[in-house]
Amino acid sequence: MTTQRFVSGDDIHSLSAYVANKPGVLARIAQVFARRGFNIDSLVVSPGGTGDFSRMTITAKGNPEGLQQVIEQVGKLVDVLHCFDHTGQDVVVRELALVKLAVTPSERTEVLQVAAHFGAKTVDLTEESLTLMITGQSDKLDAMLGLATKWPLIELVRTGKVIMARGAAVT
Amino acid sequence: MTKQILDGGQALVKCLENEGVEFMFGISGGAAIPIFDAVVTTKTNIKLVLTRHEQGAAHIADGYARATGKAGVALVTSGPGATNTITGILTAHMDSVPLIVLCGQAISPMLGKDAFQEADIFGMTMPVVKHSYLVKNTNDIPRVIREAFKIATTGRPGPVLIDLPKDVTAGPCTADLLSALDLPGYKVPEAPDSRIILQIAEALAKSERPVILAGHGALIADAAAPLRALAEKLRAPVMTTLLGKGAFPETHELSLGWPGMHGTAYANKALCECDLILNIGSRFDDRILGQPARFCRDAVRIHCDIDRSEIGKMIEPHIACVADARLTVEALLEHVAPLKTEAWLRRLAGYKKKYPLKYRKTGSLKMQHVIEEMYKLTGGRAIVTADVGQHQMWAAQFYRTDEPNKFLTSGGAGTMGFGLPAAIGAQFGFPDACVVCFTGDGGFQMTNQELSTAVLHKLPIKVIVLNNHYLGMVRQWQELFYDDRKSGVDLEGNPDFAKLAEAFGAKGFNIRRQGDLRRVLQKALDYNDGPCVINVEVEKTDNVFPMVPAGRPLEDMLIEPPKYKMDKPTGST
Ligand SMILES: Cc1ncc(C[n+]2csc(CCOP(=O)(O)OP(=O)(O)O)c2C)c(N)n1
Ligand SMILES: [Mg+2]
């Protein structure tokens, strides 16, 4: 089979790997990226379908040419069933963030207005703090977090991107 | 009668028997005792060979594997025993050699607690193995062993490390010794896509100046016979890489020898002037390419490799074929017709005549002369191992190889100290073969303790120490690129190698003059009661040519010593 190279101008790539759930598999994959100088921006690992397999969604930065090789090298690891680059493809992309802000009771209304606009939910509330949960595409999260800088941030946790192919296709 | 339950070590040995293992090379220690004990209690036919260093064990297993095509097995203890194998694992990894490394390990409840002789060998070796295991349950042993051999020997072969905590090898094993494999992610390409074969055939049909480049992959896939048929049918010249030596007979009229940094001028010229390159099983190593951007720039580039991740890594091909090399060549054979290559072959014959591999026999004794003499005396039939350095390059130039798996050297890693243990491994694999090791005075001192192993087993290997009293290859670079500033290359303090051999109980010879060369080499060949070491005093400051300075295009190859001052090389090494 001739190899089909996906070369995009993007520097940020969304990859998805389906792997056997065995010890060391994450370390092996991380090493392939590190050896070629790719930085992993986000990584989500979770059980995929059955407990024997895991799904990894990896967002990585680096030049597209080297990335193709990284993908092939990840793909050839014994415990990896497949690894695909979904950058630029029509896929469902979601991310979740928890944002804890230092908000006094008098400021709550304004925060909740911003939250409502983005469909974020309040998941925890105290006299000094308010924790929001927002899900969606990463740029939507970025937009809300941008507005939320108005209040002192206590902490922020983002899950990193997960992606899934549209329609009946597999990721 | 109740069936006796095996312990993990015994199950391991039984599983190794099932895989057809003949030898295990290694050194014991606390964490590996249950395995060594099982060798006795199972009364196995597997021969346990005690080496003198674990690096030696790994290289011996590697040499055995390269010579026989079967997996080689090293067995070592935890901690330092295991870490001593790492150079051997890297060497096997770089050259795609099926090596199984079994390591004893601290008991599993102590893992991660800095137990005595605990080393995270699983983690440390991850970048240099094809795959590895840390076995947590005794009942996993049979499956792991079966998987390990499958992984090590199929597709693109490579080393597999198995870390075996002592409680795991000591515990009872009730699992079926033929447990099923569980390798859902392991895929091995097999037959080539027929459309691609047709594309390649079409491209070949249009070519007037083709070259075939055959790499180690052609040997691994046992493609030498169909490759020869293909070359002869096409009337296309063939070059084999350093590791591919023997995939096509070097004495064949269509052979161009090997290309690259110290390859033949005519192979490099053919690469500069060809209109098509058909690569069968070479990973386009940087030592072959010169400058990747210039390499075969105007030629149609066809890359056949079983490892998809090699495609486009160094050279972007026009046609890529990811499949077994033998099946690829056989398929091609059915679709090609003779090419009109008369003019091209005539041009290359002219280069062979004009730029032969040559050296001067006058003056002090040359390494090339020693190697050529040995080639003649052995009729070119020996299994040759070469260590790393100038002597390696000359061995590859002047000991022409006509048959597969008869020239063994550390190519990718360039591991000094590989030659002697590799020769030991090859001789274990082929007890009746003539095995010759060409080594340097530097490299020999890195693993010469394995002479004990060779003496003990009466292996009649011929170790030829080409003694220039220098780390010659490095000295050559310093002379050519660093104004001859010698830094850390003088091997002053070398022992008397012939005496050293005698101290081991091996036979020692010395050659100091040309006049003694043939006679003493013949004596060494006639001595078959055990190993012999032939110390040959050679020209101290000779340099290897042709030479393509690292990072320069093949067009800039130096056929002779340069008359001008050279810039420092830009290529990696
Ligand atoms: C383990 C190891 N250390 C260092 C080197 C770097 N190196 C490459 S060739 C060479 C010199 C080899 O000297 P010798 O064995 O005497 O062979 P010669 O070049 O003189 O024939 C050295 C030091 C190496 N390849 N391997
Ligand atoms: Mg030397």
Side-chain angles (χ1 to χ4, degrees):
Chain A
M1 209 182 92
T2 34
T3 47
Q4 300 236 320
R5 255 137 232 296
F6 175 73
V7 180
S8 91
D10 287 338
D11 266 341
I12 297 180
H13 295 264
S14 302
L15 314 179
S16 167
Y18 195 53
V19 307
N21 188 8
K22 296 196 177 165
V25 61
L26 177 59
R28 284 183 219 273
I29 291 175
Q31 251 169 20
V32 173
F33 281 87
R35 190 169 168 209
R36 285 294 292 257
F38 277 85
N39 189 44
I40 294 180
D41 280 355
S42 81
L43 169 68
V44 183
V45 188
S46 53
T50 77
D52 294 343
F53 301 101
S54 299
R55 166 72 62 187
M56 294 191 187
T57 309
I58 303 167
T59 317
K61 257 200 210 95
N63 89 339
E65 268 165 57
L67 187 78
Q68 180 63 33
Q69 232 249 316
V70 166
I71 292 171
E72 299 288 3
Q73 286 185 337
V74 168
K76 92 174 185 189
L77 293 171
V78 169
D79 287 334
V80 175
L81 281 82
H82 63 242
C83 178
F84 296 130
D85 185 353
H86 295 284
T87 316
Q89 291 177 2
D90 186 21
V91 286
V92 179
V93 183
R94 288 294 179 275
E95 193 178 353
L96 180 149
L98 296 173
V99 201
K100 192 185 290 176
L101 301 170
V103 178
T104 56
S106 62
E107 295 166 316
R108 273 182 203 154
T109 324
E110 197 185 349
V111 178
L112 291 174
Q113 268 172 5
V114 172
H117 177 79
F118 288 96
K121 286 202 181 99
T122 313
V123 290
D124 188 43
L125 189 61
T126 67
E127 287 297 316
E128 311 85 55
S129 73
L130 184 151
T131 303
L132 294 174
M133 177 183 78
I134 175 170
T135 57
Q137 309 235 13
S138 301
D139 48 4
K140 174 175 144 190
L141 270 61
D142 292 341
M144 192 194 84
L145 292 171
L147 288 180
T149 50
K150 213 172 146 185
W151 299 280
L153 179 71
I154 300 174
E155 60 183 356
L156 167 69
V157 178
R158 291 174 75 145
T159 56
K161 271 188 217 174
V162 291
I163 54 184
M164 187 175 271
R166 286 191 187 275
V170 289
T171 315
Chain B
M1 212 175 87
T2 49
K3 198 169 154 255
Q4 212 184 329
I5 293 178
L6 302 175
D7 67 27
Q10 291 168 326
L12 172 71
V13 171
K14 291 277 175 203
C15 291
L16 295 172
E17 281 175 358
N18 288 343
E19 298 298 330
V21 173
E22 298 175 288
F23 298 101
M24 289 193 282
F25 306 98
I27 303 184
S28 189
I33 288 183
I35 307 172
F36 280 77
D37 189 47
V39 172
V40 179
T41 56
T42 56
K43 303 194 177 69
T44 180
N45 288 326
I46 299 175
K47 200 160 171 186
L48 176 66
V49 175
L50 176 65
T51 66
R52 295 307 192 254
H53 191 292
E54 290 87 354
Q55 183 186 349
H59 290 328
I60 291 172
D62 177 320
Y64 170 86
R66 290 186 204 228
T68 62
K70 294 185 256 183
V73 180
L75 169 59
V76 299
T77 192
S78 63
T83 56
N84 271 349
T85 65
I86 293 179
T87 302
I89 298 173
L90 170 77
T91 305
H93 179 66
M94 292 292 265
D95 291 349
S96 311
V97 177
L99 174 69
I100 304 278
V101 180
L102 304 166
C103 301
Q105 177 59 283
I107 56 171
S108 33
M110 285 300 286
L111 290 182
K113 298 182 185 171
D114 300 324
F116 177 63
Q117 292 195 329
E118 182 200 354
D120 177 13
I121 196 69
F122 178 78
M124 274 186 238
T125 54
M126 226 176 236
V128 292
V129 294
K130 183 169 175 189
H131 197 54
S132 48
Y133 293 90
L134 169 56
V135 184
K136 300 250 188 61
N137 295 307
T138 309
N139 281 337
D140 288 341
I141 289 176
R143 175 183 54 80
V144 166
I145 295 296
R146 293 192 70 201
E147 290 180 3
F149 276 80
K150 163 116 197 231
I151 292 166
T153 56
T154 57
R156 179 178 181 175
V160 177
L161 178 131
I162 306 172
D163 205 11
L164 293 151
K166 191 176 180 177
D167 53 324
V168 170
T169 50
C173 179
T174 52
D176 181 359
L177 294 187
L178 296 173
S179 296
L181 311 189
D182 177 25
L183 294 173
Y186 187 61
K187 312 157 275 280
V188 175
E190 285 170 7
D193 182 328
S194 55
R195 283 162 306 180
I196 294 187
I197 293 298
L198 290 177
Q199 275 181 35
I200 298 175
E202 225 171 274
L204 278 167
K206 288 189 209 133
S207 168
E208 291 172 356
R209 299 187 310 281
V211 292
I212 297 174
L213 170 71
H216 196 193
L219 287 176
I220 294 166
D222 198 12
L227 179 66
R228 178 173 180 163
L230 180 69
E232 287 175 347
K233 186 168 183 190
L234 288 168
R235 301 282 311 146
V238 183
M239 56 187 78
T240 48
T241 64
L242 181 67
L243 286 184
K245 253 172 89 78
F248 187 77
E250 284 188 291
T251 53
H252 195 287
E253 53 159 350
L254 289 171
S255 171
L256 295 171
W258 51 284
M261 184 176 279
H262 291 298
T264 64
Y266 33 95
N268 286 337
K269 288 213 166 272
L271 287 173
C272 296
E273 296 174 21
C274 66
D275 66 3
L276 178 147
I277 176 168
L278 173 60
N279 172 349
I280 310 281
S282 155
R283 61 179 169 87
F284 281 127
D285 181 85
D286 57 279
R287 290 259 159 146
I288 292 175
L289 303 180
Q291 211 175 66
R294 291 272 295 274
F295 180 83
C296 289
R297 194 175 41 186
D298 302 320
V300 174
R301 299 177 297 270
I302 303 166
H303 191 175
C304 307
D305 202 305
I306 199 160
D307 181 352
R308 183 181 298 279
S309 74
E310 289 299 342
I311 305 294
K313 183 184 81 177
M314 297 300 296
I315 296 295
E316 196 65 50
H318 298 95
I319 307 174
C321 180
V322 177
D324 174 82
R326 185 185 174 101
L327 298 178
T328 302
V329 176
E330 283 174 349
L332 273 175
L333 201 48
E334 285 179 22
H335 293 282
V336 297
L339 307 179
K340 291 199 179 55
T341 54
E342 295 78 17
W344 174 230
L345 292 176
R346 234 178 294 122
R347 192 195 302 181
L348 295 175
Y351 290 144
K352 280 190 186 180
K353 212 160 171 183
K354 192 162 170 206
Y355 308 112
L357 291 169
K358 60 171 196 272
Y359 62 94
R360 250 195 273 280
K361 285 203 174 111
T362 52
S364 48
L365 187 54
K366 304 290 188 301
M367 290 199 197
Q368 301 92 306
H369 193 173
V370 181
I371 294 158
E372 196 174 46
E373 200 62 51
M374 204 58 180
Y375 176 74
K376 288 184 195 150
L377 289 173
T378 55
R381 308 291 310 249
I383 299 178
V384 172
T385 73
D387 209 81
V388 171
Q390 292 185 309
H391 63 277
Q392 175 192 35
M393 296 295 103
W394 279 317
Q397 288 182 351
F398 288 92
Y399 202 105
R400 286 181 290 169
T401 310
D402 282 347
E403 293 163 302
N405 306 333
K406 287 199 144 184
F407 188 90
L408 319 179
T409 196
S410 165
T415 303
M416 284 171 72
F418 176 76
L420 169 64
I424 293 173
Q427 188 82 77
F428 271 117
F430 293 98
D432 300 324
C434 172
V435 178
V436 176
C437 164
F438 292 109
T439 186
D441 47 329
F444 181 56
Q445 292 185 71
M446 292 198 176
T447 49
N448 68 43
Q449 73 284 348
E450 298 309 333
L451 273 178
S452 287
T453 313
V455 168
L456 192 65
H457 295 272
K458 292 198 164 40
L459 305 179
I461 51 178
K462 323 294 172 199
V463 184
I464 301 183
V465 181
L466 294 160
N467 189 349
N468 55 8
H469 298 264
Y470 274 119
L471 294 169
M473 186 55 95
V474 181
R475 188 208 52 74
Q476 170 168 348
W477 279 51
Q478 292 177 348
E479 178 186 328
L480 294 178
F481 307 116
Y482 294 82
D483 297 320
D484 202 19
R485 281 187 297 277
K486 295 187 188 61
S487 177
V489 290
D490 191 335
L491 287 174
E492 186 186 6
N494 272 344
D496 178 328
F497 292 114
K499 272 195 191 157
L500 182 73
E502 301 280 348
F504 276 104
K507 186 101 184 130
F509 295 99
N510 274 298
I511 298 176
R512 297 203 169 79
R513 300 178 304 120
Q514 261 190 51
D516 296 338
L517 182 60
R518 176 170 276 258
R519 188 177 49 81
V520 178
L521 288 181
Q522 188 59 55
K523 259 175 123 176
L525 284 168
D526 293 340
Y527 177 80
N528 283 312
D529 294 340
C532 60
V533 174
I534 308 111
N535 173 61
V536 194
E537 298 290 328
V538 294
E539 163 78 54
K540 292 179 74 172
T541 55
D542 202 0
N543 292 330
V544 185
F545 289 99
M547 177 170 194
V548 181
R552 299 270 284 276
L554 297 178
E555 281 82 355
D556 292 0
M557 165 181 57
L558 302 163
I559 293 177
E560 293 183 326
K563 303 208 168 51
Y564 49 91
K565 190 174 164 319
M566 308 271 301
D567 294 334
K568 287 182 186 146
T570 52
S572 58
T573 47

